[in-house]
């Protein structure tokens, strides 16, 4: 696991961008989609799924479901529903569980849960368009619930408020804990991800569940940099979520996130591939050459992209903010080394490294004696 980066394909819509992945489930698929489009990826699942297939609590809940007819069954996640059915099969209770669910009104929270329910040979009676638990609860509370038996398949965290509202209306609620979110397997990877976010060395953070966001923000608070992470997410580090429900913890923290119209990994990556270049791409002209800055990479004419370390990418971007204008060392220090060194020799050393990275195009960065540096470009 960890936060190591792997060189991406030479070019693609995400070439030049470094993307953080916090997902646990289907992480490999998301990482592959991003790398296929040219991104560098930092993997740091902020939590892990703790399966309860052999847990006595899950078996006890299943046996309670079989002890009498159910009136309502609620499937909240596809992976959770499949895990429940699989565990029941392993105990020899699968057929009985399917029968008792078939005799109940089945509700599903979104298309993934709906697909899992149908795959198990059942049909849903209601599924809210918003994929929100609140809508499921509203639908249930409009019915007579006194004396009704309701099974609720939980998804990572207990749905205490949901169950309490049903209890208040006289229902018997059976909570079915298929899995729980636990602490990350690699806390060091999460710590590193937080640091990269604070330093703006990531261009984007991706989230596929609200608990993953809560876990990241909690880790940042524990490290004493919660405010800095939120500042980064409000500015230079774009948060991209799989959907509006996933984004809720960010919205509550005053952070605007983007998400696709459909809550799918492919749609998330397409949204990211549209948003990042629109926010972080700059085209300039140097003589007869076309210079494109995108994220942490520079393209010159049709040459292969040159990936730059974060400081060199920030230096090149600072020079490109005012094409052709001379920028003195003090201003470059202020803009590139925020909160860091005050030694102007650091600018000269970074410019030397930048020219070395640009190779045959090193003359793009010009020295203006006793004044500073400029890019030999026009807007």
């Amino acid at each position: 696991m960890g936060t190591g980066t792997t060189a991406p394909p030479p070019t693609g819509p995400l070439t030049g961008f470094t993307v953080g992945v916090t997902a646990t489930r289907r992480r490999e698929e998301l990482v592959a989609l991003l790398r296929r489009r040219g991104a560098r990826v930092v993997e740091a699942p902020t939590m892990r799924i703790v399966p309860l297939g052999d847990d006595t609590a899950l078996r006890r809940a299943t046996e309670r479901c079989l002890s009498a007819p159910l009136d309502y069954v609620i499937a909240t996640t596809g992976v959770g529903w499949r895990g429940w059915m699989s565990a029941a099969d392993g105990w020899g209770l699968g057929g009985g569980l399917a029968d008792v669910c078939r005799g109940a009104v089945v509700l599903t929270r979104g298309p993934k849960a709906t697909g899992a329910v149908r795959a198990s040979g059942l049909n849903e009676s209601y599924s809210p368009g918003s994929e929100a638990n609140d809508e499921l609860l509203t639908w249930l509370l409009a019915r007579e619930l006194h004396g009704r038996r309701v099974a609720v398949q939980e998804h990572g965290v207990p749905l205490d408020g949901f169950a309490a509202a049903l209890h208040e209306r006289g229902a018997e609620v059976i909570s079915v804990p298929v899995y729980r979110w636990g602490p990350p397997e690699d806390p060091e990877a999460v710590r590193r991800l937080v640091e990269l976010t604070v330093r703006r060395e990531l261009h984007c953070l991706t989230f596929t569940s609200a608990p993953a966001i809560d876990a990241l923000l909690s880790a940042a608070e524990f490290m004493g940099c919660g405010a800095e992470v939120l500042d980064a997410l409000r500015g230079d580090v774009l948060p991209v979520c799989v959907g509006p429900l996933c984004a809720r913890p960010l919205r509550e923290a005053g952070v605007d996130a983007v998400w696709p119209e459909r809550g799918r990994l492919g749609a998330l990556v397409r949204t990211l591939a549209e948003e990042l270049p629109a926010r972080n791409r700059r085209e300039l002209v140097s003589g007869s050459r076309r210079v494109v800055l995108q994220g942490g990479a520079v393209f010159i004419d049709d040459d292969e992209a040159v990936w730059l370390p974060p400081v060199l990418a920030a230096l090149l971007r600072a020079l490109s903010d005012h094409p052709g204008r001379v920028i003195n060392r003090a201003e470059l220090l202020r803009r590139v080394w925020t909160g860091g060194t005050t030694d102007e020799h650091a600018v000269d050393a970074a410019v030397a490294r930048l020219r070395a990275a640009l190779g045959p195009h090193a003359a793009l960065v010009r020295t203006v004696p006793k004044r500073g540096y400029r890019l030999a470009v026009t807007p």
Side-chain angles (χ1 to χ4, degrees):
M1 211 168 286
T3 58
T5 59
T6 302
T11 58
L14 292 176
T15 296
F17 296 112
T18 302
V19 179
V21 170
T22 63
T24 300
R25 289 195 290 116
R26 301 178 68 191
R27 184 181 79 255
E28 294 83 359
E29 180 182 349
L30 177 56
V31 169
L33 287 170
L34 291 167
R35 286 180 174 155
R36 198 174 301 148
R37 287 159 176 79
R40 280 183 172 160
V41 179
V42 178
E43 301 179 53
T46 56
M47 57 191 182
R48 62 189 172 93
I49 291 176
V50 181
L52 301 176
D54 298 324
D55 191 83
T56 56
L58 177 58
R59 180 157 187 167
R60 190 182 308 118
T62 303
E63 290 171 345
R64 279 187 65 194
C65 290
L66 296 174
S67 66
L70 292 173
D71 296 289
Y72 297 97
V73 179
I74 302 169
T76 58
T77 62
V79 66
W81 182 270
R82 289 191 295 271
W84 186 19
M85 296 299 113
S86 176
D89 280 338
W91 299 321
L93 303 176
L97 181 59
D99 287 341
V100 77
C101 291
R102 195 171 290 111
V105 174
V106 179
L107 312 180
T108 58
R109 188 183 68 92
K112 293 180 182 177
T114 299
V117 164
R118 292 178 182 176
S120 67
L122 302 171
N123 291 302
E124 78 287 356
S125 296
Y126 173 70
S127 185
S130 67
E131 303 183 33
N133 286 331
D134 293 347
E135 279 199 47
L136 282 174
L137 183 59
T138 298
W139 190 94
L140 279 167
L141 293 179
R143 272 76 187 163
E144 173 56 52
L145 294 176
H146 186 76
R148 302 293 191 267
R149 302 183 79 235
V150 184
V152 182
Q153 171 253 309
E154 295 178 345
H155 60 112
V157 293
L159 298 175
D160 294 336
F162 193 102
L166 298 177
H167 277 302
E168 289 177 4
R169 296 293 298 275
E172 176 189 351
V173 181
I174 305 169
S175 296
V176 182
V178 183
Y179 60 90
R180 288 281 183 267
W181 296 121
E185 293 182 4
D186 189 351
E188 179 62 22
V190 178
R191 184 193 65 79
R192 174 70 172 156
L193 188 73
V194 170
E195 292 176 346
L196 292 174
T197 302
V198 170
R199 295 203 300 264
R200 274 70 167 176
E201 293 184 19
L202 299 176
H203 298 96
C204 173
L205 272 173
T206 60
F207 300 100
T208 59
S209 71
I213 297 173
D214 289 330
L216 179 75
L217 298 182
S218 294
E221 286 291 340
F222 181 78
M223 293 169 61
C225 55
E228 290 90 337
V229 166
L230 291 175
D231 285 343
L233 292 172
R234 294 185 186 111
D236 298 316
V237 182
L238 176 68
V240 179
C241 300
V242 75
L245 290 179
C246 170
R248 182 176 292 177
L250 290 175
R251 297 203 306 272
E252 291 174 351
V255 175
D256 291 329
V258 299
W259 56 81
E261 289 185 7
R262 298 183 69 246
R264 299 289 185 272
L265 290 186
L268 181 151
V269 173
R270 285 192 295 273
T271 296
L272 194 156
E274 294 168 0
E275 291 282 342
L276 279 180
R279 296 164 182 253
N280 208 325
R281 179 183 172 91
R282 187 168 297 168
E283 297 191 16
L284 303 165
V285 175
S286 177
S288 61
R289 294 173 298 180
R290 176 172 169 267
V291 180
V292 177
L293 310 181
Q294 179 166 292
V298 56
F299 302 81
I300 300 178
D301 291 334
D302 295 324
D303 289 354
E304 185 174 316
V306 176
W307 282 79
L308 301 172
V311 168
L312 302 191
L315 175 60
L316 186 58
R317 184 160 293 276
L319 290 168
S320 73
D321 284 342
H322 304 283
R325 196 194 99 181
V326 178
I327 303 180
N328 62 41
R329 293 173 176 80
E331 184 176 350
L332 289 172
L333 271 177
R334 179 180 59 81
R335 296 178 60 183
V336 177
W337 285 267
T338 55
T341 181
T342 57
D343 183 359
E344 292 188 358
H345 292 296
V347 178
D348 299 329
V351 167
R353 296 200 306 275
L354 177 57
R355 285 172 172 156
L358 293 174
H361 307 293
L364 187 65
V365 182
R366 300 288 178 84
T367 302
V368 181
K370 299 183 180 180
R371 294 181 60 195
Y373 297 97
R374 72 178 182 88
L375 284 188
V377 298
T378 54

